[in-house]
Amino acid sequence: MSKVIVVTSGKGGVGKTTTSANVATGLALLGYRTVAIDFDVGLRNLDLVMGCERRVVYDFVNVIKKEASLRQAVIRDKRVENLFILPASQTRDKDALDVEGVGRVIEDFRAAQFDYIICDSPAGIERGALMAMYFADEAIVVTNPEVSSVRDSDRVLGLLDAKTRKVETGERVKTHLLLTRYAPGRVAKGEMLGYADVLELLGIPLLGVIPESKAVLQASNLGTPVILDPTADAAQAYLDVVARFVGEERPQRFLDVPKRGFFSRLFGEPTAYAG
C-alpha cells in the first residue's frame, strides 16, 4: 500500500527540498517505486536539485487543472530506477492547489502502485504547506539546530495534529525529526543547539542527523542528490535516515565531535568531518 510522506518545516532554508530529493532517491535505491512532488508552486526548486529542470514540459498544476495527464507531467529519473518527479509550476500561485485536485493526483499515484509519494512542502504555514501535509500518512519535520527553526517546527507539529485528513478520521500523522546542518564542534562551543535540546523541545523521535557539509551545496548545484556521492558524510547520513525510515536498526552517527588521531593533534591537521 502506498505511503504519503510530507517533508515539512515552518522555516525556509532548512533543507526540505534537499531532504525530499535525497529521501526519495534513497527509497528508490532500495527498490521502492517512489515519486517526489514539488508543492512549492511559484518557486519551483525540486527539479533543479534533481537535475531534471530542462525536461519539464507540464507540471503539478497542469495535472490538477486537467491541462495534462499525469503521464505527460511526471519525469522519470535517468540515474535511479523507480524514481520519478512531479515538478511544481513557476507561473501559478499556491491558490491553484485545492484539496480535490491534490487528492485526485495522490490517488492516481496510489493506483499506479507507487510505494512512496514524497510531498516536498513549501516554507511557512500557508496554503501550499497545508496542501502538502493534508494527505500525509507520515511526516519528516526538518529542523536546523537553532531556536527560530525549532519554534517554527513546533508550530508545524501543531498543524499536523489538527489540519490533516488522518486527524479528521480520528488518527494521527506519524512524525519524525530530521536535524540538518548539524556541527558538533559548534554545539560544543555553544553556537548552536545540541540534538538532545531539540529532542526535548519538540518531543518527537529522531530519524537522523545530517552533518553540515559543503558536499550538500555542491551536489545541489550539480543537480545530483548528495546521497549518490559515496565520499560524502551527508550521503552516509541520508542512507542511514532512509534505512531507519523503512524499519532498519542503525546507530545514530555524526552527533559528536570525531576524535582526532595522534598526528592530527600533533600537526593540527583538520579532521575528515565536514562542517
Side-chain angles (χ1 to χ4, degrees):
M1 183 178 178
S2 303
K3 278 191 177 181
V4 181
I5 314 301
V6 63
V7 179
T8 184
S9 178
K11 188 175 174 63
V14 299
K16 289 186 296 298
T17 297
T18 296
T19 294
S20 296
N22 282 283
V23 168
T25 302
L27 289 167
L29 287 170
L30 292 178
Y32 295 104
R33 187 171 164 85
T34 305
V35 62
I37 307 175
D38 191 347
F39 275 76
D40 201 357
V41 176
L43 295 171
R44 186 173 75 205
N45 282 310
L46 182 62
D47 58 312
L48 289 172
V49 175
M50 301 291 280
C52 62
E53 69 279 4
R54 295 183 181 179
R55 298 170 60 201
V56 176
V57 178
Y58 296 104
D59 56 53
F60 190 14
V61 174
N62 290 139
V63 178
I64 287 175
K65 300 297 183 183
K66 299 183 179 180
E67 299 163 352
S69 68
L70 205 59
R71 185 180 294 274
Q72 289 175 307
V74 170
I75 300 170
R76 181 191 291 269
D77 191 86
K78 291 183 176 181
R79 297 155 301 200
V80 181
E81 191 177 0
N82 295 317
L83 179 60
F84 301 80
I85 302 97
L86 179 57
S89 171
Q90 280 188 305
T91 58
R92 312 286 183 98
D93 59 37
K94 292 177 176 60
D95 288 338
L97 301 179
D98 62 83
V99 171
E100 181 182 352
V102 172
R104 187 176 65 250
V105 172
I106 296 291
E107 290 307 313
D108 285 347
F109 279 125
R110 290 188 192 273
Q113 297 185 322
F114 277 85
D115 298 300
Y116 288 99
I117 302 163
I118 308 297
C119 301
D120 179 26
S121 174
I125 55 174
E126 302 303 326
R127 186 174 185 82
L130 293 174
M131 287 293 99
M133 71 173 63
Y134 181 74
F135 292 97
D137 298 307
E138 300 188 34
I140 298 175
V141 180
V142 183
T143 306
N144 288 163
E146 58 179 59
V147 173
S148 62
S149 180
V150 173
R151 182 177 64 180
D152 288 351
S153 292
D154 187 54
R155 174 69 173 125
V156 166
L157 289 173
L159 293 174
L160 288 166
D161 283 338
K163 299 289 185 179
T164 66
R165 187 169 66 172
K166 271 196 170 294
V167 172
E168 292 173 0
T169 59
E171 300 178 84
R172 294 188 68 182
V173 174
K174 184 178 180 181
T175 54
H176 312 265
L177 174 64
L178 184 67
L179 197 55
T180 55
R181 296 178 180 167
Y182 194 74
R186 294 181 62 192
V187 173
K189 294 176 183 178
E191 296 174 357
M192 64 171 54
L193 294 173
Y195 70 92
D197 299 318
V198 179
L199 284 172
E200 183 178 354
L201 289 167
L202 294 180
I204 60 175
L206 179 64
L207 184 61
V209 170
I210 310 300
E212 189 172 19
S213 172
K214 293 179 181 178
V216 174
L217 178 60
Q218 291 168 350
S220 294
N221 287 337
L222 292 172
T224 302
V226 73
I227 199 170
L228 297 176
D229 178 3
T231 67
D233 282 348
Q236 298 303 312
Y238 272 118
L239 287 169
D240 286 348
V241 163
V242 172
R244 292 189 200 102
F245 188 80
V246 298
E248 184 179 330
E249 292 287 338
R250 288 203 181 183
Q252 294 287 351
R253 298 192 282 170
F254 311 108
L255 300 180
D256 303 306
V257 179
K259 294 180 180 179
R260 301 173 69 187
F262 172 77
F263 288 104
S264 294
R265 294 196 303 271
L266 184 63
F267 296 109
E269 296 175 359
T271 66
Y273 180 81

